[in-house]
Every structure is written in structure tokens, then in C-alpha cells.
């Protein structure tokens, strides 16, 4: 006895250490692109964009009011208030930095000058010669008097010699200003950078909560509507939602299982042991996943309730067998092994088959649940079986008699069969009349159903974006020269795309991207202009410009002089340059990226994408991603479904060694899937990226019911009443638990996970009804002229 106790304690310590080690490795990952095939061009492009050009520490606060001037002043006051919180905020920006600090532009404007083609730099140097400067200054004054462009006026007011006006027009245009304000000025944006990077979503949530407190107090004195979005908001919102989905669905599933078990058996001790086994299975499954998964996606977070709802099936089966078993525990395990082995194998195979899909999110869900199912079968046979034998008593043995008699009663079976036939007729009729469910591959299936950050981002895009058909242009290379060469090659393609009607306009990062050759040549040409500053200043003053108007020009020429002799390529480093470049360029040793925008002509997105993209050039958008997935995912799922179906049929053919049994299984499964499609059409549901996986899951989970019935029919010589009496209650319990497991994630905040839960729960109920009430009659009809041998004969 003492040795057993020591052994038990040792095993407990080992399991605890194993669980702690695995659980400590789990993190939440909110990147929805992690759910999608990484090899698809659109996924690659968007992944590069999010990895290199999103701002993980930048919160976007939107302000919307009625008066443009008042809204602008409130945005500036909020930015000033937040900037005064250095422990929370490193910067808060509510207007273009060059509005308040024109000299901050000098470095970036100097970069534009040395990046241009050498012949343009030579022409600029010629314009600043003593004989041409009067004409240049006169042209600038005329332009200032007649221009209606705020951006042009702002630049020329500090650039009398037009050093950079032509080059900077595309960088500091009204489109750039729209990063902060809508056209009518009633919608403003404040960009808030966190003082420190976030270690995890908890820190992001705490930081946002602190910003909200400050903003809420400030908002009491300002009549504006405030919204929060951006990467930190998405991180905090989605991660907390994932945590809640996993925790709440698991708890609700456990509670529902407890209620079902108590209602059927009215016995506390086995119920408590069953709940403990499910908790153990969950911890061991998640810990096991932790050793080969670095993080948990929004789809993987739904595995808890699904795994619990499936694993409890084996507990139900073991408990039901234990009530009538009179031998030792090893015989009980032997009697239960065949059924549990069959069902757990097919279920685990179905979930592992999700790895055949190129959707990483579904693969993760499949691996997690499959591991849980295998661990569940081992725990229920190895640990719960002796506990079930130990806790049974006369009350437990008598309790399920009512339900056994219910499933044995001919009247109940007849009524159930007719009702199931009526349901099947309704669903098949709906499928014929309304057609199959529609396909929905839009980006909304990735989003949370209840969110603040996403609607705010949609509102921001609506207010600040001039086109609904903009595509992100991402160009990659191993160094600056690679990217520069590709940008120059791409320039002609972009011009051709506009000329042939595929695009309306584009914004290329080429003017800001350093060219070693151009920089070296232009510094030789332009840096000597710094020595000519006294003459240029006197000429500008004589033409009528104020001394302040020459300050920026002086700073630009001094920057050119300071760069003389420096190695190329040269990158600007001040705050204004960093602000402008943060969403345009990304450069680090061994990897360089540039980003631009292309406005596609509606309906020409595919042609534009095909003409521009290559291994190192990506043209991506969420709408393009949806179209790409719609083309690739359904055919892939068809191949996976056919492959899994073939494997299952081969396994069953080997096990049953009966053509009629395999035929019945195939017909039952086909009928279930057809009825599911009809039910989805009736309820207005659609097929999406994720609930297509419901077909795979039903092949491995729902088919357990028909497999169990077929095995029971063979054991009982084709006696349908005996088979229903033996397994009717067990299948009803299994279906209820599994449907509840999937049903609890039907209310998950992630739309894709919720659709998967709804579809699977609906399919399981349909499968259980058809298996319980129609399959035995079909068996009897097929074997009406022959005796049915018992299994093993």
C-alpha cells in the first residue's frame, strides 16, 4: 500500500511538472494571417506589411466633432496632454510634424535631393547660379500668389528657390495631410506611441486602460466623439477575447456535462470523478501542445470546449458499461477498448487530417483536439474505469433504467423515426428549393463579432482614404540596392498600368529610397552649394522674402554640406524623417523593404496584381486576399475531404468486413451532410474558410454514432431494440456533450470560430438523430433475408 502511495505521488509530481512546463510556453497570437496559408501571394504580401510597417506600440485615437476648427484644437490639446505623460507616452502627434517644426524637414528634403537622377541635380545647381536665381525667385512669388494648394503654399513659403518642391509634392501632398484629418476637418486623428514596448497583451491592455482614464477625464470638457484603434488595441481586445472564449466555453461545457450526467444518473461521486478527469485531460492536452506550439491562435483557443465535449464520450461509455459489469477492472477495460479505440481513432484521424489543409489555424485546432482525444481515451480507460467501478451503487444501477426503457420502447423508436424522417424531408426539400449555402470568403470572418477597435478603424478608413480600391505595394530585397533596382523597374510598369486603365494613380517610395550611385554623384554636385549660402540669402531678401523664409533652405544646404564625404547609402535619422518613413521604408542588415500604394480601377484588381507582382514585389489588400482564398480553399477542402473519406472507408472495410455495413455508413454520412447543407440554407448560414472544416470534423466525430450503432447491431444479431437499448442513452449523452462543446464556441467572439461551432453542433445533432432512428431500420431492411452474425464470428 505504501509503495502504491509513493508511486502515485511520484506520478502526480511528474504530471504536475510536465503540465507546468508546457503551460508556461503558451502565448496568445492575434495575427489573423497566422490562420491562413503562408504560401499564398496575398498572405505573403499582407504578412510583410504587418510585420514591417504596422506600429505595434502606436495607439490611434480618433476624434469626431461638428466644427473643424474646434475639432483641430481638441486634437492638439489631447496630444499635448498625453505628451505630458512621459511614463506612458513617448510622443503624441495630432498634426504633421513639419507644421510646427519646418526645420525638421531639412534632413528629409536633403535626402530627396541626393536621391534624384544626377541630371536633375545638375539642373537644380544651374538654377541656383547667379544669372538664374532672380527668375526662380520671381516664379516662386507668382506661384504663392495664385496657388490654392495648402501643401504647396506651406512648402514654398520656406523654399523660395524651389529646391525640393517638385520632388516633395508626392511625399507631402494633401494625401499625406489626410493622415491626420478628413477633408472637411471634422474628423481628426491623434497617434500615440507607448513609452515602452509591450511584453504581452496584458501590458498592452493596462496601458490602453491608463490612456482611456486620461482621455475620459479630458473628454468631459470637449464635445467630441472619441474612438480607440491601432495595433495595441487589436492586441489587447483580441487576446482578452480569446482568453474569455477558451475559459468560458470550457467552463460552460463542463457545467452542461455535469447537468446532463446528473439528470441521467443522479450520482455525485462518479460525476465529480468525471469532472476531475476532464480537467486533467484539458491540462495535459494544453501542456502537451505547449511543447510544440509557441502560441495559440484565435481558432486554436476554441479547442478546450470541443476537446472536453468529445473526451467525455469515453467517460460516458465507460460509466455505462461499469453499471452492469461484474468482473475485474481489466475486463471492463477490455470490453470498452474496442469501441473507444474505434471512435477515438476515427475522431483523432479527422482532426489530424486538418493538417492536410494549408490553413494553419485549422491545423492547430486539429492537432490540439486530436491530442486531447487521444489523451482523453487513455485517461478514461486508465484512470476513470477503476474509479467508475469503485463508485457504483444500487442507485446508480437503477437510475438509467427509465432512459433504457425509453430507447427500448417501440413507440418511442417509431415516433423518433417518423420525426427524423420529417426533419430529413424538410431539410432536403430546403436544399433543393433554396440551393446549397452561399460561400463567404470576405475578411469579416476573421474579425471579432463584438469589437470597438475594428469599427473605429473602418470609420478612419472611410474618412481618410480617398479610394476603396487601394492596394499596398511591398517591394523586398536583401539590401538597399536590390530594392532601388526593383523600384526603378516597377516605375515603368506602374505607368503602363495607369495608361492601360488598370490603375488610376500610385504612390511610389522611389523618391525616398536611397540610390548609392545617385547619392554619390549628387553630393559632389550639390554639397558645394552650402558655400554659396550668403549670396542666396541676400538674393531672397532682395526679392521680398522674409529672413524666416530662408531658414529651411539654409538648413537643407547645410545638411548637404554635412553629408559631404560620408559613405553611402545615407538615411535620415531625425524625428520628422522617422515619422514620414515609418510606414514607407524598413531597412536592417540583410533585409530591406519599401511600401507604396496603388489605386486600382474597380474590377481590374486581378489584372493589376498579375501584371505587377513577382517573387519580390507584392500587391496586396484584404479584398484581394478574399478573392484568392475563394479560388484556392474550396478545391483544397474537396481534396482533403475525399482523401479522409477514403481512409475512413478503408479502415471500416477492414474492420467490418461487410460491404453492406460500409454501404450503410456511407449512405448515413452522405445523408447527414446533405441535411446539414439544407439546415444551413434554411437558417441563412454560409460556408466560410473555417466552417468548411466542419465536414472534416463530422467525418471523424459524428460518424462515431453510426459506427457504434453498426457494431452494436452486429453484436446483438441485428436486434435494433437491443442495440438502441445498449447505446441509445450513450449516444444521446455523447451527442449532447459534443454539441454543447461545439455550441459554446458558437458564441465565440471570433466570427470564424463561431461559424465552425455552429455548423458542427448542428451537424452532430442531425447525425445522432439519423444514426439512432433511421440507421437501425436501414440495417434491418438490408438484412431482412439473412441472419446477422455476431461480431467476431
Amino acid at each position: 500500500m505504501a509503495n502504491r502511495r509513493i508511486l502515485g505521488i511520484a506520478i502526480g509530481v511528474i504530471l504536475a511538472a510536465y503540465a507546468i512546463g508546457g503551460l508556461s510556453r503558451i502565448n496568445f497570437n492575434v495575427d489573423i494571417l497566422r490562420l491562413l496559408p503562408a504560401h499564398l501571394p496575398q498572405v505573403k504580401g499582407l504578412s510583410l506589411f504587418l510585420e514591417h510597417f504596422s506600429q505595434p506600440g502606436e495607439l490611434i485615437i480618433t476624434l469626431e466633432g461638428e466644427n473643424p476648427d474646434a475639432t483641430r484644437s481638441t486634437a492638439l490639446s489631447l496630444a499635448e496632454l498625453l505628451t505630458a505623460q512621459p511614463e506612458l507616452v513617448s510622443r503624441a502627434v495630432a498634426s504633421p510634424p513639419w507644421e510646427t517644426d519646418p526645420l525638421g524637414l531639412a534632413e528629409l528634403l536633403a535626402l530627396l535631393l541626393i536621391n534624384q537622377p544626377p541630371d536633375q541635380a545638375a539642373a537644380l545647381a544651374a538654377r541656383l547660379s547667379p544669372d538664374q536665381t532672380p527668375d526662380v525667385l520671381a516664379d516662386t512669388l507668382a506661384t504663392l500668389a495664385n496657388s490654392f494648394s495648402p501643401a504647396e503654399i506651406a512648402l514654398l513659403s520656406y523654399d523660395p528657390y524651389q529646391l525640393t518642391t517638385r520632388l516633395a509634392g508626392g511625399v507631402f501632398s494633401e494625401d499625406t495631410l489626410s493622415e491626420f484629418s478628413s477633408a472637411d476637418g471634422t474628423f481628426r486623428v491623434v497617434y500615440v506611441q507607448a513609452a515602452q514596448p509591450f511584453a504581452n497583451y496584458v501590458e498592452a491592455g493596462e496601458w490602453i486602460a491608463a490612456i482611456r482614464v486620461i482621455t475620459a477625464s479630458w473628454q468631459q470638457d470637449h464635445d467630441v466623439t472619441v474612438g480607440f484603434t491601432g495595433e495595441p488595441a487589436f492586441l489587447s481586445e483580441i487576446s482578452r477575447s480569446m482568453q474569455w472564449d477558451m475559459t468560458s466555453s470550457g467552463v460552460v461545457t463542463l457545467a452542461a456535462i455535469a447537468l446532463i450526467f446528473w439528470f441521467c444518473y443522479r450520482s455525485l461521486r462518479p460525476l465529480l470523478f468525471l469532472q476531475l478527469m476532464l480537467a486533467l485531460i484539458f491540462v495535459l492536452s494544453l501542456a502537451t501542445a505547449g511543447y510544440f506550439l509557441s502560441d495559440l491562435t484565435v481558432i486554436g483557443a476554441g479547442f478546450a470546449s470541443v476537446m472536453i465535449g468529445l473526451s467525455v464520450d469515453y467517460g460516458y461509455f465507460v460509466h455505462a458499461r461499469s453499471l452492469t459489469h461484474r468482473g475485474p477492472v481489466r475486463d471492463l477495460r477490455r470490453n470498452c477498448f474496442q469501441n473507444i479505440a474505434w471512435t477515438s481513432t476515427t475522431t483523432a484521424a479527422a482532426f489530424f487530417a486538418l493538417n492536410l489543409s494549408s490553413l494553419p489555424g485549422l491545423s492547430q485546432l486539429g492537432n490540439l483536439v486530436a491530442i486531447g482525444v487521444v489523451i482523453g481515451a487513455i485517461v478514461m480507460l486508465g484512470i476513470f474505469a477503476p474509479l467508475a467501478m469503485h463508485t457504483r451503487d444500487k442507485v446508480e444501477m437503477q437510475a438509467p433504467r427509465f432512459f433504457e426503457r425509453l430507447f427500448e420502447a417501440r413507440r418511442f423508436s417509431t415516433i423518433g423515426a417518423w420525426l427524423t424522417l420529417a426533419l430529413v424531408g424538410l431539410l432536403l426539400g430546403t436544399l433543393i428549393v433554396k440551393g446549397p449555402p452561399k460561400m463567404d470568403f470576405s475578411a469579416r470572418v476573421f474579425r471579432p463579432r463584438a469589437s470597438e477597435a475594428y469599427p473605429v478603424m473602418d470609420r478612419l478608413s472611410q474618412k481618410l482614404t480617398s479610394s476603396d480600391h487601394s492596394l499596398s505595394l511591398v517591394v523586398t530585397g536583401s539590401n538597399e540596392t536590390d530594392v532601388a533596382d526593383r523600384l526603378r523597374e516597377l516605375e515603368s510598369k506602374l505607368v503602363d498600368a495607369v495608361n492601360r486603365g488598370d490603375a488610376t494613380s500610385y504612390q511610389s517610395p522611389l523618391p525616398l529610397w536611397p540610390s548609392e550611385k545617385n547619392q554619390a554623384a549628387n553630393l559632389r554636385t550639390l554639397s558645394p552649394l552650402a558655400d554659396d549660402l550668403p549670396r542666396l540669402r541676400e538674393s531672397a531678401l532682395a526679392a521680398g522674402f522674409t529672413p524666416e523664409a530662408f531658414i529651411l533652405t539654409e538648413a537643407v544646404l547645410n545638411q548637404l554640406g554635412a553629408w559631404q564625404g560620408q559613405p553611402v547609402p545615407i538615411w535620415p535619422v531625425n524625428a520628422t524623417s522617422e515619422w514620414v518613413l515609418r510606414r514607407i521604408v524598413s531597412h536592417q542588415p540583410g533585409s530591406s523593404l519599401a511600401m507604396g500604394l496603388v489605386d486600382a480601377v474597380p474590377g481590374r484588381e486581378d489584372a493589376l496584381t498579375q501584371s505587377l507582382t513577382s517573387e519580390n514585389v507584392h500587391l496586396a489588400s484584404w479584398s484581394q486576399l478574399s478573392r484568392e482564398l475563394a479560388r484556392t480553399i474550396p478545391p483544397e477542402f474537396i481534396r482533403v475531404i475525399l482523401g479522409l473519406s477514403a481512409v475512413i472507408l478503408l479502415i471500416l472495410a477492414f474492420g467490418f468486413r461487410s460491404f453492406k455495413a460500409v454501404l450503410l455508413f456511407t449512405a448515413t454520412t452522405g445523408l447527414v451532410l446533405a441535411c446539414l447543407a439544407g439546415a444551413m440554407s434554411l437558417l441563412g448560414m454560409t460556408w466560410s474558410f473555417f466552417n468548411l472544416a466542419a465536414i472534416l470534423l463530422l467525418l471523424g466525430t459524428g460518424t462515431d454514432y453510426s459506427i457504434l450503432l453498426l457494431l452494436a447491431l452486429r453484436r446483438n444479431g441485428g436486434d435494433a431494440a437491443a442495440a438502441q437499448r445498449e447505446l441509445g442513452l450513450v449516444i444521446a449523452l455523447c451527442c449532447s456533450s459534443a454539441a454543447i462543446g461545439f455550441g459554446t464556441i458558437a458564441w465565440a467572439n471570433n466570427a470564424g470560430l463561431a461559424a465552425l461551432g455552429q455548423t458542427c453542433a448542428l451537424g452532430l445533432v442531425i447525425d445522432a438523430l439519423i444514426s439512432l432512428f433511421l440507421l437501425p431500420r436501414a440495417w434491418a431492411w438490408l438484412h431482412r433475408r439473412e441472419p446477422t452474425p455476431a461480431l467476431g464470428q
Side-chain angles (χ1 to χ4, degrees):
M1 183 65 70
N3 291 336
R4 289 185 178 180
R5 183 173 300 175
I6 293 173
L7 179 61
I9 294 174
I11 293 174
V13 170
I14 292 172
L15 289 178
Y18 177 82
I20 292 172
L23 294 175
S24 65
R25 298 165 58 90
I26 293 291
N27 292 310
F28 290 115
N29 189 302
V30 303
D31 182 4
I32 60 178
L33 293 176
R34 290 289 301 274
L35 309 176
L36 302 176
H39 69 277
L40 295 180
Q42 288 296 315
V43 175
K44 287 183 180 179
L46 288 172
S47 296
L48 287 170
F49 169 77
L50 292 177
E51 179 182 356
H52 295 278
F53 300 107
S54 65
Q55 304 296 311
E58 185 178 87
L59 179 68
I60 300 175
I61 303 179
T62 63
L63 307 173
E64 193 162 6
E66 296 182 357
N67 183 280
D69 293 333
T71 305
R72 183 178 188 276
S73 64
T74 56
L76 294 174
S77 70
L78 178 59
E80 182 179 359
L81 174 64
L82 293 175
T83 302
Q85 314 292 328
E87 72 284 358
L88 291 175
V89 176
S90 64
R91 72 181 177 201
V93 185
S95 62
W98 50 90
E99 284 188 0
T100 55
D101 181 24
L103 288 182
L105 279 176
E107 188 183 43
L108 193 63
L109 294 175
L111 177 72
L112 289 171
L113 289 176
I114 63 174
N115 281 344
Q116 64 182 325
D119 58 336
Q120 295 181 19
L124 172 61
R127 288 205 314 272
L128 298 185
S129 62
D131 59 331
Q132 292 192 35
T133 50
D135 294 336
V136 174
L137 292 170
D139 181 64
T140 301
L141 289 171
T143 303
L144 284 171
N146 298 306
S147 177
F148 293 98
S149 169
E152 185 177 36
I153 293 173
L155 287 172
L156 284 177
S157 297
Y158 295 95
D159 187 17
Y161 288 103
Q162 301 182 34
L163 296 181
T164 58
T165 302
R166 294 183 178 87
L167 293 173
V171 179
F172 307 108
S173 62
E174 281 82 355
D175 289 337
T176 305
L177 297 176
S178 70
E179 185 178 7
F180 295 91
S181 173
S182 61
D184 61 6
T186 61
F187 185 91
R188 305 284 305 193
V189 179
V190 180
Y191 298 90
V192 184
Q193 182 68 37
Q196 300 293 334
F198 307 121
N200 49 51
Y201 76 94
V202 177
E203 288 189 5
E206 292 173 348
W207 179 76
I208 293 174
I211 299 295
R212 283 181 179 273
V213 170
I214 297 171
T215 305
S217 176
W218 166 88
Q219 191 178 4
Q220 293 176 2
D221 300 323
H222 298 83
D223 186 22
V224 291
T225 301
V226 179
F228 297 85
T229 188
E231 291 300 313
F234 293 138
L235 172 65
S236 175
E237 186 178 83
I238 298 175
S239 294
R240 290 183 184 276
S241 173
M242 289 166 61
Q243 186 179 41
W244 170 253
D245 287 343
M246 186 167 66
T247 304
S248 61
S249 64
V251 170
V252 171
T253 303
L254 285 172
I257 288 171
L259 288 175
I260 293 172
F261 189 93
W262 178 259
F263 179 74
C264 292
Y265 293 104
R266 304 295 178 90
S267 184
L268 183 60
R269 284 187 296 170
L271 171 58
L272 292 177
F273 283 126
L274 182 63
Q275 295 282 296
L276 286 174
M277 293 303 101
L278 293 176
L280 176 63
I281 292 166
F282 167 68
V283 171
L284 291 179
S285 300
L286 190 58
T288 302
Y291 286 105
F292 66 88
L293 288 177
S294 59
D295 47 38
L296 204 61
T297 66
V298 291
I299 298 299
F303 97 98
S305 59
V306 176
M307 182 271 301
I308 291 171
L310 295 174
S311 296
V312 75
D313 294 358
Y314 314 134
Y316 286 149
F317 190 81
V318 169
H319 181 71
R321 285 294 181 90
S322 72
L323 295 179
T324 56
H325 184 71
R326 293 295 178 269
V329 173
R330 64 174 179 272
D331 290 340
L332 174 63
R333 289 193 179 114
R334 188 181 301 111
N335 292 337
C336 295
F337 177 80
Q338 184 186 46
N339 289 275
I340 291 178
W342 275 107
T343 56
S344 63
T345 299
T346 55
T347 299
F351 279 94
F352 276 130
L354 293 181
N355 286 286
L356 299 175
S357 166
S358 62
L359 294 172
L362 289 178
S363 298
Q364 185 184 91
L365 176 67
N367 290 330
L368 286 166
V369 176
I371 289 171
V373 165
V374 173
I375 291 175
I378 295 171
V379 168
M380 292 301 182
L381 282 173
I383 302 177
F384 183 65
L387 294 175
M389 288 288 292
H390 179 70
T391 57
R392 67 179 187 173
D393 54 42
K394 292 183 179 180
V395 176
E396 294 169 5
M397 295 174 63
Q398 303 262 345
R401 293 290 301 223
F402 167 78
F403 297 101
E404 290 178 355
R405 289 196 300 269
L406 182 66
F407 281 99
E408 184 180 1
R410 182 180 298 274
R411 182 177 179 82
F412 175 77
S413 178
T414 302
I415 293 174
W418 281 111
L419 290 177
T420 302
L421 274 175
L423 177 64
V424 169
L426 171 65
L427 298 180
L428 293 181
T430 301
L431 181 63
I432 293 172
V433 174
K434 296 187 65 174
K438 300 294 187 288
M439 296 283 185
D440 180 7
F441 291 95
S442 64
R444 73 175 185 84
V445 300
F446 301 110
R447 291 187 171 189
R449 296 190 293 176
S451 169
E452 177 189 355
Y454 275 100
V456 172
M457 181 60 75
D458 290 340
R459 181 68 172 169
L460 184 148
S461 299
Q462 177 188 353
K463 285 289 186 178
L464 303 190
T465 306
S466 59
S467 173
D468 294 332
H469 302 277
S470 294
L471 288 83
S472 297
L473 179 67
V474 181
V475 181
T476 67
S478 58
N479 52 50
E480 289 91 341
T481 302
D482 285 347
V483 175
D485 292 342
R486 291 181 182 119
L487 286 173
R488 282 191 290 270
E489 293 175 4
L490 193 60
E491 191 74 13
S492 60
K493 294 183 179 180
L494 289 167
V495 172
D496 291 342
V498 173
N499 291 336
R500 67 172 176 265
D502 289 341
T504 57
S505 62
Y506 65 90
Q507 296 177 32
S508 171
L510 182 59
L512 289 168
W513 195 266
S515 167
E516 294 186 25
K517 180 180 178 180
N518 289 358
Q519 287 188 352
N522 292 337
L523 281 173
R524 290 193 296 269
T525 302
L526 298 176
S527 57
L529 292 174
D531 300 329
D532 213 11
L533 276 172
R535 177 186 65 81
L536 294 171
R537 183 187 301 108
E538 292 176 5
S539 297
L541 294 175
F545 286 93
T546 64
E548 290 77 13
F550 191 73
I551 292 177
L552 181 60
T553 300
E554 184 176 26
V556 171
L557 295 180
N558 280 330
Q559 182 66 66
L560 291 173
W563 280 343
Q564 186 176 18
Q566 286 194 15
V568 293
I570 293 173
W571 285 101
V573 294
N574 71 10
T576 298
S577 299
E578 189 276 333
W579 173 265
V580 173
L581 296 178
R582 77 195 199 286
R583 288 196 174 98
I584 299 176
V585 302
S586 173
H587 62 98
Q588 50 194 338
S591 175
S592 295
L593 296 94
M595 198 201 80
L597 288 174
V598 183
D599 291 329
V601 173
R604 300 294 299 169
E605 293 90 351
D606 290 343
L608 180 65
T609 301
Q610 186 175 7
S611 66
L612 296 181
T613 56
S614 64
E615 181 180 357
N616 297 102
V617 178
H618 306 273
L619 198 62
S621 71
W622 289 107
S623 58
Q624 282 294 97
L625 174 63
S626 298
R627 282 191 282 269
E628 187 173 61
L629 290 174
R631 289 192 297 266
T632 58
I633 297 301
E636 176 186 301
F637 264 99
I638 291 174
R639 291 193 296 271
V640 174
I641 289 168
L642 291 176
L644 178 61
S645 300
V647 170
I648 291 175
L649 288 176
L650 286 174
I651 293 173
L652 293 179
F654 175 79
F656 285 123
R657 292 184 175 85
S658 168
F659 173 76
K660 292 182 179 179
V662 175
L663 178 64
L664 277 176
F665 171 83
T666 305
T668 301
T669 304
L671 183 60
V672 168
L673 295 178
C675 289
L676 174 61
M680 292 177 65
S681 293
L682 182 65
L683 298 175
M685 298 169 63
T686 58
W687 290 115
S688 67
F689 309 107
F690 302 115
N691 68 348
L692 275 173
I695 299 177
L696 291 172
L697 302 185
L698 287 174
L699 287 174
T701 56
T703 54
D704 289 352
Y705 310 145
S706 54
I707 292 173
L708 287 173
L709 256 300
L710 288 170
L711 289 171
L713 285 166
R714 295 193 67 180
R715 275 195 305 273
N716 292 280
D719 188 339
Q724 287 181 324
R725 182 173 62 252
E726 178 186 345
L727 289 177
L729 177 59
V730 173
I731 289 177
L733 290 173
C734 292
C735 173
S736 300
S737 301
I740 289 171
F742 281 107
T744 54
I745 64 171
W747 285 275
N749 199 31
N750 177 264
L753 183 58
L756 176 65
Q758 293 165 357
T759 307
C760 285
L762 188 61
L764 286 171
V765 172
I766 293 172
D767 201 330
L769 290 173
I770 292 176
S771 298
L772 272 175
F773 296 109
L774 299 186
L775 178 58
R777 283 167 169 74
W779 172 280
W781 184 81
L782 276 179
H783 296 82
R784 63 190 182 277
R785 295 181 180 176
E786 60 183 70
T788 304
L791 192 62
Q793 291 185 356

